[in-house]
Structure formats: C-alpha cells, structure tokens
Amino acid sequence: LYLPNGVIKTDVDVNCKENIILYAGYIEKKNKSTDLLIDAMSGVDKIWKLVLVGEVVDDMHEFIDEYFRENPHMKDQIIFEGYISDKKLLSKYYAKASIYCCTSVMESFGISTLEAAYHGNYIISTDVGGSKDIINTTGYGKLIKHDIEDLRNTLIYTTKNWDNIKQKPDDIQDKVYKNFSWDNLSQKLADKLQ
C-alpha cells in the first residue's frame, strides 16, 4: 500500500500569487544543492524573486558571501527569510509564491514540495522523493536533471512564458487535496486493514 505524506486543509487564500520562486528547507550544498538554485537565478528576469526559507547550513556561508561579492546586483532578487517554525506564516509564503523549486540530490517523500503544490505552486524539481508523483497528479510542474544548465534554462523558460503556463491555484489545490489529504490517505489505510 502506497501511503505518501499528506496535507491538511488550510484557509489560506492561494489566489494572491506574486512573481516569487520559493525554496523551503535546509539551505545547503550537500543534499539540497541550494547553491545550484542560487546560481541558476542569473538570467531570470529581475521581476522574479527567489525567496529561500530555512536555516543556512555551514557549507553555504562561504558560497553565499562569494556569490554576492561577484553578483552584488542579485541582492535584491535573492532573499533569505531564515527558518520559519510557524506553519501559518510558512503557509503564507507558499500562498504568495508562484513557483516552487526543489534541487535535492535525495529526499524522503518531500513534504515541502507537497505543501507547495497544495498552495498552487508550479513545481520545478529534480526526480527525488514524491516530486514525480506530485507533478504527475497535478500536471503542473517539470522534472529536471540535477544540472545547473537544465535548471537555469527551465527557470528562464518558465518565467518568460509564465502567462501561458500558470493555472488557477484553486484548481491545483483541489487536485492535491483530493489525492494527498490525510483524510483520504487514512481512509485508504483503514480500508486496507479491514
């Protein structure tokens, strides 16, 4: 029986999208490859911001300092929000974002990717954890190779063509809830155990 992570219905309005690419999780090189995501932002139109929510891990401090030394013009486009433990506040970040990006080398199911999809985000992700299932379920996203050029090209293409790609956030939220709600998943388990 396949039981992925699930979501709980929230009352956050997902129809307040902005030109934001969101990442939530540890900001690190080793497993999350957040350095690739930051590097890939060069070439993305300046009307799009990258918002990173999470703790910056030691292996990223030197990279970030060096990156902004070499790219001071990117300071307004790449925003570090720090770790957010308040789920309601985090939900507001998901709700405002239009695109969610996962660049991990490996993941468990990937709860942040699921939460982003639930909030109507277009998912750009490496083929890790449940990303393929989430994108296949919603039809709203793209799997990428773990490669800087593929990621950069995908971000540039997606943001340039956003008006043709974007879908109604409510519709995406309904698809995610139907397939990944804890209510439905626990019912599936209860049916299997009977």
Side-chain angles (χ1 to χ4, degrees), residues 7-65:
V7 292
I8 298 171
K9 194 171 276 247
T10 65
D11 60 356
V12 174
D13 180 13
V14 296
N15 294 303
C16 55
K17 297 296 182 190
E18 297 177 17
N19 291 338
I20 293 173
I21 300 163
L22 180 68
Y23 167 84
Y26 284 113
I27 298 168
E28 67 171 2
K29 286 183 181 182
K30 185 179 177 188
N31 294 314
K32 304 293 185 180
S33 302
T34 321
D35 54 324
L36 288 182
L37 179 54
I38 292 169
D39 260 346
M41 282 301 290
S42 61
V44 174
D45 191 305
K46 291 186 183 343
I47 65 165
W48 285 87
K49 306 281 188 229
L50 171 62
V51 175
L52 300 120
V53 174
E55 178 186 339
V56 178
V57 176
D58 288 342
D59 73 353
M60 282 292 289
H61 290 289
E62 188 176 325
F63 170 83
I64 293 167
D65 291 344

Side-chain angles (χ1 to χ4, degrees), residues 4 53-54 56 58 65 78 88 95 116 118 121 123 132 155 166:
V53 174
V56 178
D58 288 342
D65 291 344
I78 299 173
K88 287 184 181 179
Y118 174 73
N121 286 214
I123 304 298
K132 184 187 287 186
L155 286 171
K166 68 180 176 182

Side-chain angles (χ1 to χ4, degrees), residues 2-187:
Y2 174 57
L3 281 178
N5 273 324
V7 292
I8 298 171
K9 194 171 276 247
T10 65
D11 60 356
V12 174
D13 180 13
V14 296
N15 294 303
C16 55
K17 297 296 182 190
E18 297 177 17
N19 291 338
I20 293 173
I21 300 163
L22 180 68
Y23 167 84
Y26 284 113
I27 298 168
E28 67 171 2
K29 286 183 181 182
K30 185 179 177 188
N31 294 314
K32 304 293 185 180
S33 302
T34 321
D35 54 324
L36 288 182
L37 179 54
I38 292 169
D39 260 346
M41 282 301 290
S42 61
V44 174
D45 191 305
K46 291 186 183 343
I47 65 165
W48 285 87
K49 306 281 188 229
L50 171 62
V51 175
L52 300 120
V53 174
E55 178 186 339
V56 178
V57 176
D58 288 342
D59 73 353
M60 282 292 289
H61 290 289
E62 188 176 325
F63 170 83
I64 293 167
D65 291 344
E66 179 77 15
Y67 179 83
F68 285 127
R69 238 187 332 273
E70 293 176 7
N71 303 281
H73 60 284
M74 296 298 286
K75 283 189 177 180
D76 293 333
Q77 197 173 359
I78 299 173
I79 300 151
F80 291 87
E81 290 293 346
Y83 175 71
I84 297 174
S85 60
D86 182 336
K87 284 290 199 184
K88 287 184 181 179
L89 180 57
L90 183 56
S91 198
K92 290 178 182 176
Y93 279 89
Y94 285 126
K96 284 193 334 186
S98 294
I99 298 168
Y100 182 82
C101 205
C102 171
T103 52
S104 296
V105 177
M106 54 191 238
E107 270 303 332
S108 59
F109 182 81
I111 191 66
S112 59
T113 303
L114 180 61
E115 289 173 344
Y118 174 73
H119 287 85
N121 286 214
Y122 182 84
I123 304 298
I124 297 173
S125 179
T126 50
D127 190 2
V128 293
S131 293
K132 184 187 287 186
D133 290 345
I134 295 165
I135 291 170
N136 287 343
T137 297
T138 61
Y140 197 52
K142 182 174 185 339
L143 288 178
I144 57 164
K145 293 179 272 184
H146 189 264
D147 172 80
I148 183 70
E149 289 307 316
D150 194 24
L151 174 58
R152 180 178 288 122
N153 291 338
T154 300
L155 286 171
I156 291 170
Y157 177 85
T158 304
T159 53
K160 278 187 177 177
N161 295 284
W162 186 242
D163 287 341
N164 298 320
I165 293 171
K166 68 180 176 182
Q167 295 181 23
K168 283 186 65 189
D170 285 353
D171 293 345
I172 302 305
Q173 187 176 51
D174 289 345
K175 286 180 188 178
V176 172
Y177 191 76
K178 179 181 173 194
N179 290 281
F180 295 101
S181 74
W182 278 120
D183 291 340
N184 292 345
L185 294 172
S186 50
Q187 186 59 54

